[in-house]
Amino acid sequence: MPRTTSRAAAGAAALLAALALGASGCGPAGPARPAAPPPALPTSAPTSLGDLSGWKVEDWARYVADSGFPGGAAAGSWTAARMDAAKPRPTPEYSLTAPAADGVERDAPPAAVPAQPLPHPYGPAGAVVGRLFMTTPQGDAACSATVVSDPANPGRSNLVYTAAHCLHDGRGGGWLKGLVFVPGFNRDGRAAHGKPYPDQQAAPYGRWAAVRALVSPTWLQEGGVGAHDQYDYGILRVRGEDDSDRSLEEAVGGSVPIWFNAPRDRITAVAAYGYPAERPFDGMELEHCDSPVAPGRLSFDPARPPLYVLGCTMTAGSSGGGWFVVRDGKPNLISVGAVGNRNPAGYQAGPSLQDQAKQAFDYFAKNVR
């Protein structure tokens, strides 16, 4: 595999435009597939992702069995007007300029990289990134997410990758409700707050309701901003509101593979994408930050996989958006937006997806329908 170079960084501004991922096409709709029964709960399961060597299928089942979304979001319930009114899901904040607490390891704050809107029209490649809408105890909210490749169903993925805090409130909280993924949101760029626009324009590839989800058990058990943010990733299986047999990947024309355990010395340029919705942004544009340097590191617990850190001025609402690097000439996802702070200089941090994340993904892809 060729080493990622600064030449790849120079092309990062148009990274998604290079998504030559073997589109599966948009074949005719077929009958809806019957839903699989939820997995049975075991009597006990490990409570940490620190060591997964002894985990069994039923251990993972414990953490997805209660993530079902009965009935899902009602078809058509997320109208263009409702999506427009959704507030950005708050991003956990941590200051890289304040004195570090004991045990925290971090690199020097990176230089801020101004977010730039993806040029219009987005084109089909941009459809792999979208907005994820949900209902929280505080009201309707929105994050960002990416269509990722499913090794168990090549060319027919229904998997979406995002941040854990976009799916579950963490310790003391529960699963968020009414989750719907809208790939390629505002694809042609004519929409604006306060102006009516066609519903088809807001969701050019349809709406995809959550069926099942998985987040780290550590995320469920720990709170605040800290070591559990190093596991702030989440996986979502979705189905189309039209209940056809067409997959999400077929609908949008592609997907992005996840590069688990990516060697840090191979990551010399990163492009982060998302839909920031807090000022000065409004959530209506797909934005990106193109970092020409290797990401820094932030560890609240050095025994856990670190958070990657890059300079980026995107705000709340971009949480869960994919971070991409070029591998073998194609984009791969290596992280998602999780933690950030825009004062005094903007940055984002996202989990490095190592063994724990890979095992979670492999289990979910193979066993959860």
Side-chain angles (χ1 to χ4, degrees):
M1 294 179 292
R3 181 182 177 86
T4 302
T5 67
S6 58
R7 183 172 298 176
L15 185 60
L16 290 186
L19 277 170
L21 297 175
S24 302
C26 300
R33 291 181 175 179
L41 284 170
T43 56
S44 62
T47 57
S48 171
L49 271 180
D51 178 11
L52 300 181
S53 59
W55 277 47
K56 302 176 182 178
V57 169
E58 59 266 24
D59 297 327
W60 280 112
R62 177 185 177 88
Y63 292 102
V64 289
D66 69 344
S67 75
F69 305 97
S77 62
W78 280 97
T79 63
R82 185 181 176 191
M83 291 189 291
D84 200 28
K87 303 298 183 183
R89 179 74 168 156
T91 300
E93 293 193 359
Y94 173 79
S95 174
L96 291 179
T97 57
D102 290 343
V104 174
E105 295 182 356
R106 68 190 191 195
D107 294 333
V113 175
Q116 300 292 329
L118 192 70
H120 296 295
Y122 288 173
V128 297
V129 181
R131 295 189 81 186
L132 181 64
F133 295 92
M134 71 287 297
T135 298
T136 77
Q138 294 76 38
D140 289 346
C143 280
S144 303
T146 303
V147 183
V148 293
S149 304
D150 181 354
N153 291 280
R156 288 184 53 85
S157 177
N158 283 308
L159 301 182
V160 174
Y161 217 77
T162 188
H165 74 264
C166 296
L167 302 176
H168 193 284
D169 266 331
R171 185 180 65 185
W175 293 97
L176 306 182
K177 308 297 183 184
L179 281 92
V180 165
F181 177 62
V182 181
F185 179 85
N186 184 25
R187 179 174 180 267
D188 60 9
R190 292 195 300 268
H193 280 295
K195 298 180 181 179
Y197 53 93
D199 191 68
Q200 173 60 26
Q201 181 177 312
Y205 299 94
R207 294 168 177 78
W208 298 78
V211 177
R212 291 282 183 190
L214 183 147
V215 299
S216 162
T218 304
W219 177 263
L220 300 180
Q221 295 159 1
E222 299 178 7
V225 177
H228 73 300
D229 291 303
Q230 294 170 229
Y231 294 117
D232 191 358
Y233 60 81
I235 315 161
L236 194 65
R237 183 173 292 281
V238 298
R239 65 165 180 267
E241 282 192 346
D242 60 5
D243 279 332
S244 74
D245 190 51
R246 185 175 60 170
S247 69
L248 173 61
E249 182 173 0
E250 290 170 308
V252 304
S255 65
V256 182
I258 302 175
W259 188 4
F260 294 104
N261 291 303
R264 190 167 182 268
D265 63 358
R266 297 285 302 279
I267 305 172
T268 58
V270 181
Y273 280 74
Y275 284 87
E278 191 177 69
R279 292 182 304 172
F281 307 99
D282 63 5
M284 303 303 289
E285 297 281 347
L286 177 56
E287 304 275 345
H288 58 99
C289 292
D290 306 324
S291 174
V293 298
R297 289 175 292 181
L298 169 62
S299 294
F300 298 98
D301 179 354
R304 297 178 178 184
L307 288 158
Y308 292 141
V309 181
L310 56 81
C312 184
T313 61
M314 286 196 291
T315 60
S318 62
S319 289
W323 291 19
F324 305 99
V325 299
V326 175
R327 183 190 190 196
D328 294 340
K330 296 181 181 180
N332 278 230
L333 186 143
I334 62 159
S335 187
V336 295
V339 177
N341 196 315
R342 58 177 177 168
N343 295 311
Y347 85 90
Q348 282 196 343
S352 56
L353 305 176
Q354 299 184 17
D355 287 341
Q356 297 92 331
K358 185 179 188 303
Q359 185 166 346
F361 183 82
D362 288 346
Y363 165 77
F364 193 82
K366 293 176 183 177
N367 297 283
V368 181
R369 292 292 179 267

